[in-house]
Amino acid sequence: MTKIKILEKALELFATKGYFNCSMDDISKAVNIKKPSIYFHFPSKESIFQAVFDKIVENYESFINSITAIDDDKSSFETLSDIFTRYVKNCIDNLEMAFWDRYYYYPPECFMQDLQSKTFRVEMYFMNKILKVVETGIQKNEIKPLDPHSITVAFYNMMIGLAMGVQFYTNEQINEEITRCLDVFLEGIKA
């Protein structure tokens, strides 16, 4: 339990204060344990940061799998709408996504390669899942027989772009933006 608590509090601190403004003392105070107790679980602040990021990646992959499952009872448009909506809404007040955004763009030098390579791997994984939905839609004659990779990249980038700005919108505005994006995009690829 202590190890989980350390990771939870470290996530909060890294996401809000930043890596360099967060100390082992800060983490021990947040967990309400003595600093030497942290070293029983983690040898360094770097190892805590790495464990936090690895857990975020693991959770993200599980989330991707849950939102991209193809349901034969749904049209490809319903599946794409679900993916888009659930993804964007998942980014609202999400510390894990705030952490990832912060450190993808401004990583501590010692983590840059790992953060970027894991992010790229997961991005490709996510896009391949979306690609399968698009290809299924083309096979079912729901989606125009356009280049499925181009459709996937456009969809993914539109979704990520809106998700990155959710903190600037009210929930009502987010719902309106989701609807606006999906209406125009899906109409454009409809067979």
Side-chain angles (χ1 to χ4, degrees):
M1 289 302 289
T2 302
K3 189 172 185 175
I4 293 168
K5 188 86 165 161
I6 291 169
L7 293 176
E8 288 172 354
K9 293 300 181 180
L11 168 63
E12 290 175 27
L13 291 167
F14 289 141
T16 57
K17 290 181 76 168
Y19 179 77
F20 293 109
N21 292 325
C22 175
S23 68
M24 292 294 270
D25 285 329
D26 294 330
I27 297 169
S28 68
K29 287 175 187 167
V31 178
N32 200 26
I33 60 173
K34 295 190 184 299
K35 187 174 164 182
S37 298
I38 290 180
Y39 291 107
F40 176 77
H41 299 284
F42 296 97
S44 63
K45 181 171 89 167
E46 292 83 7
S47 65
I48 295 172
F49 184 92
Q50 190 66 57
V52 167
F53 182 63
D54 289 344
K55 184 64 178 164
I56 289 169
V57 170
E58 179 185 320
N59 292 344
Y60 189 65
E61 287 177 345
S62 294
F63 176 69
I64 289 168
N65 289 331
S66 75
I67 66 172
T68 58
I70 295 177
D71 180 346
D72 291 333
D73 294 333
K74 288 183 177 181
S75 72
S76 56
F77 291 114
E78 290 172 311
T79 303
L80 289 171
S81 293
D82 286 349
I83 292 169
F84 192 95
T85 302
R86 290 178 65 193
Y87 182 83
V88 170
K89 289 188 174 189
N90 180 63
C91 293
I92 299 169
D93 298 325
N94 184 326
L95 272 178
E96 290 185 355
M97 296 309 290
F99 175 100
W100 204 332
D101 286 345
R102 179 180 197 140
Y103 295 109
Y104 179 74
Y105 293 106
Y106 305 104
E109 188 67 35
C110 60
F111 297 110
M112 183 181 296
Q113 176 108 19
D114 186 56
L115 286 162
Q116 290 176 345
S117 68
K118 286 180 181 173
T119 299
F120 179 76
R121 181 185 58 78
V122 173
E123 182 179 72
M124 292 300 104
Y125 179 73
F126 197 178
M127 281 204 264
N128 282 328
K129 294 282 199 169
I130 295 167
L131 178 63
K132 286 184 170 99
V133 175
V134 171
E135 289 172 336
T136 299
I138 291 171
Q139 290 168 359
K140 292 171 144 182
N141 294 318
E142 296 170 341
I143 295 176
K144 289 179 187 174
L146 302 169
D147 174 27
H149 294 281
S150 295
I151 293 170
T152 299
V153 170
F155 177 85
Y156 181 82
N157 287 325
M158 180 180 61
M159 180 179 65
I160 295 295
L162 180 57
M164 290 182 72
V166 293
Q167 72 270 20
F168 302 113
Y169 297 101
T170 65
N171 283 337
E172 183 180 327
Q173 289 170 323
I174 291 168
N175 289 331
E176 290 170 3
E177 292 301 314
I178 288 170
T179 300
R180 195 171 293 134
C181 288
L182 286 171
D183 285 351
V184 171
F185 184 83
L186 296 177
E187 186 61 35
I189 62 169
K190 187 186 290 184

